[in-house]
Amino acid sequence: MQIIIVGYGNIGRTLTEQLMIEGHDITVIDSNAEKIEEVIGASDVLGVVGNATSIGTQIEAGVAQADLLVAVTRSDEVNLLCCLIAKRAGARHIIARVSNPIYNKEIQFFKEDLGLSMIINPQLTAAKEMVSLLKFPSALQIDSFPKSRVEAVGFRVEEGNAICNKSLKDLAGMFLGKILIPIVQRGEEVIVPDGDFCLRAKDEVTILATTHEIVGFFRKIKIPTTAAKSALIVGGGRTTIYLAKHLIEMGVKVKIIERDIKRCEMLIEMLPKAMIIHGDATDKELLIEEGVEDIEAFVANSNIDEENIMLALGVKTLSKAKIIAKVHRVSYNEIIDDLDIGSVIYPKNSAAEHILKYVRGKRNSMGSSSIETLYRLNDNRIEALEMVIRKGASVIGKELKDIPWKSGVIVGCINHKGTTSIANGNSVIKEGDTVILFTSIKGVKNIEDAIR
């Protein structure tokens, strides 16, 4: 697909990198010449320096031939104007980043009146991801596969846990094939394990199953499954507003610490059911005074990555709360992994993933791919692909054990006419089934790419 990306900030950069991997032709527009030099120098991408609200700039970028234009600058108004111009100039589909809560009630109007294919709200997307993690407090990460009705949930094996020092064969016997462990990360090593693989303390394990089976699995191995009932949030930005509204609707008691007094006054007006505290959350005494030792969930959600990381580390020594930290720079990945601070949310990744889902859906309709959902896991070293098996596929009617899969490929589950089952060697794939593949191979677009 011919895709134009307006704005080469955090989301634009992430989106460009991932769409490049998937084989699309990308043109980036940004008013900052240094950013355009960066994108041209780092990848096979066209760059245009200029104001994207100018029809001349968009024409130079090839808007008339574009299958999609995505406007993800920091200004909602600029993004909406870019999309309006692009639609009238011939772009087939348009996506705008709109994140101001004031516009949230007007989203449907924008979509209909401007002809937007999709509106992406990074702060709202991040807040929803946080809510999912607070519903499942033991999870480090949760990825949902809507068509197959299963989830991939990551968690850490602790010393003394019932599955510690057990082989996957033993676990298969204990749980009667209702769960699958397709990925284990041990230190820096990411493993697609076989039945003889033995789990150890500190392994980060991904489990694939329905929500019901995951809850049953966690209960059986004595991992808490009760959602948090109280939350302390640091930072009063847009993500916090969306998060607090969701949590309050769930009956969660919410406290927010914000150091800007004017922001506090605005939060009091927008969130009357939350307790707003004016103060500096880096003050340990303030955190203790506000009950951090007894809180069930702590969210470090300021606009400073370093502060969020340090707060998460500090609270870990004070409390047994579920800890979530918001981080914008992926360059902190390795440091964060070593620190073991809990769940980390990268808003730009979440926003880019939603746009990618739309792009994949459009590509599927053009017949060039069968992927419905794709997640990049374990620092992008593993891809989890939900795909539809189309007529003529070579795997149809064969047992999985008889198919010559490439190294680094494992079938997670098969959904047949609405019924999902965890895959095993005797499972048979049929036309129209939806399957989930876990693979370390890049660029898999359909089931044939996973076969030798």
Side-chain angles (χ1 to χ4, degrees), residues 225-236:
T225 58
T226 304
K229 294 299 181 184
S230 58
L232 177 59
I233 307 171
V234 174

Side-chain angles (χ1 to χ4, degrees), residues 100-102 236-238 240-241 245 258 260-272 276:
N100 193 328
I102 294 172
R238 292 175 179 177
T240 290
I241 293 170
K245 285 183 177 179
E258 166 60 46
D260 186 300
I261 185 62
K262 291 184 178 180
R263 192 74 184 172
C264 286
E265 291 169 356
M266 184 273 291
L267 290 171
I268 290 170
E269 184 177 339
M270 295 189 73
L271 301 168
I276 313 300

Side-chain angles (χ1 to χ4, degrees), residues 1-3 19 21-25 67 356-372 374 385-388 390 443-449:
M1 293 174 65
Q2 301 283 341
I3 300 174
L19 288 170
I21 292 172
E22 297 191 19
H24 298 282
D25 294 324
D67 296 300
L356 285 167
K357 286 179 183 178
Y358 176 84
V359 173
R360 290 177 198 124
K362 286 298 174 186
R363 186 170 61 183
N364 291 350
S365 67
M366 296 163 62
S368 58
S369 173
S370 60
I371 298 173
E372 296 283 338
L374 182 151
L385 311 164
E386 184 176 39
M387 59 176 63
V388 177
R390 293 179 172 170
V444 173
K445 295 181 181 178
N446 52 58
I447 199 74
E448 305 299 337
D449 293 337

Side-chain angles (χ1 to χ4, degrees), residues 145 148 150 208 384-387 410-413 434-438:
F145 298 89
S148 301
V150 295
L208 182 74
L385 311 164
E386 184 176 39
M387 59 176 63
I410 183 171
V411 179
C413 69
T434 301
V435 303
I436 296 177
L437 292 183
F438 291 85

Side-chain angles (χ1 to χ4, degrees), residues 6-292:
V6 178
Y8 198 64
N10 287 331
I11 296 174
R13 182 179 289 105
T14 303
L15 193 57
T16 298
E17 292 169 353
Q18 296 193 10
L19 288 170
M20 278 289 296
I21 292 172
E22 297 191 19
H24 298 282
D25 294 324
I26 311 299
T27 300
V28 176
I29 302 175
D30 199 287
S31 58
N32 188 320
E34 291 182 2
K35 288 186 176 181
I36 294 301
E37 287 178 11
E38 175 192 338
V39 69
I40 293 174
S43 56
D44 185 19
V45 172
L46 297 176
V48 175
V49 179
N51 183 348
T53 61
S54 162
I55 183 65
T57 301
Q58 291 202 22
I59 289 173
E60 183 182 350
V63 68
Q65 293 77 42
D67 296 300
L68 173 67
L69 179 138
V70 185
V72 286
T73 74
R74 292 186 177 182
S75 168
D76 293 348
E77 293 75 16
V78 167
N79 294 335
L80 291 168
L81 182 55
C82 283
C83 285
L84 176 61
I85 292 169
K87 191 68 174 179
R88 293 184 177 177
R92 292 166 184 78
H93 303 282
I94 50 176
I95 294 175
R97 169 185 176 173
V98 180
S99 56
N100 193 328
I102 294 172
Y103 294 142
N104 203 41
K105 294 180 180 179
E106 300 166 354
I107 293 300
Q108 196 59 38
F109 168 79
F110 288 139
K111 289 188 71 173
E112 293 174 359
D113 203 55
L114 300 182
L116 290 165
S117 305
M118 177 184 182
I119 290 178
I120 184 68
N121 185 331
Q123 286 80 10
L124 178 58
T125 301
K128 288 181 177 179
E129 191 173 346
M130 292 174 182
V131 169
S132 294
L133 289 167
L134 295 179
K135 286 180 180 178
F136 231 138
S138 301
L140 296 174
Q141 180 177 342
I142 301 174
D143 295 304
S144 298
F145 298 89
K147 200 147 192 177
S148 301
R149 302 175 189 175
V150 295
E151 293 182 313
V153 176
F155 69 100
R156 184 173 289 105
V157 178
E158 303 294 346
E159 190 72 58
N161 189 277
I163 64 172
C164 193
N165 301 318
K166 292 277 198 315
S167 72
L168 298 195
K169 281 182 182 176
D170 294 336
L171 294 181
M174 291 170 61
F175 297 101
L176 303 175
K178 293 182 179 180
I179 64 164
L180 179 76
I181 296 178
I183 311 169
V184 177
Q185 181 160 346
R186 180 171 291 166
E188 293 299 311
E189 186 180 10
V190 177
I191 304 157
V192 178
D194 59 20
D196 294 322
F197 185 87
C198 191
L199 297 175
R200 297 178 189 167
K202 297 187 178 180
D203 283 351
E204 290 188 10
V205 173
T206 298
I207 178 175
L208 182 74
T210 63
T211 302
H212 175 75
E213 296 296 346
I214 292 170
V215 171
F217 172 75
F218 277 3
R219 285 176 178 166
K220 196 165 185 178
I221 64 175
K222 298 187 179 354
I223 289 180
T225 58
T226 304
K229 294 299 181 184
S230 58
L232 177 59
I233 307 171
V234 174
R238 292 175 179 177
T239 305
T240 290
I241 293 170
Y242 290 121
L243 174 60
K245 285 183 177 179
H246 277 290
L247 294 180
I248 290 167
E249 288 175 1
M250 292 163 53
V252 178
K253 294 180 180 179
V254 175
K255 286 185 180 182
I256 301 170
I257 299 178
E258 166 60 46
R259 57 166 61 95
D260 186 300
I261 185 62
K262 291 184 178 180
R263 192 74 184 172
C264 286
E265 291 169 356
M266 184 273 291
L267 290 171
I268 290 170
E269 184 177 339
M270 295 189 73
L271 301 168
K273 293 185 179 180
M275 181 179 290
I276 313 300
I277 297 108
H278 176 230
D280 185 350
T282 61
D283 181 350
K284 180 179 176 181
E285 295 304 317
L286 174 62
L287 290 177
I288 293 173
E289 183 181 329
E290 295 303 332
V292 71

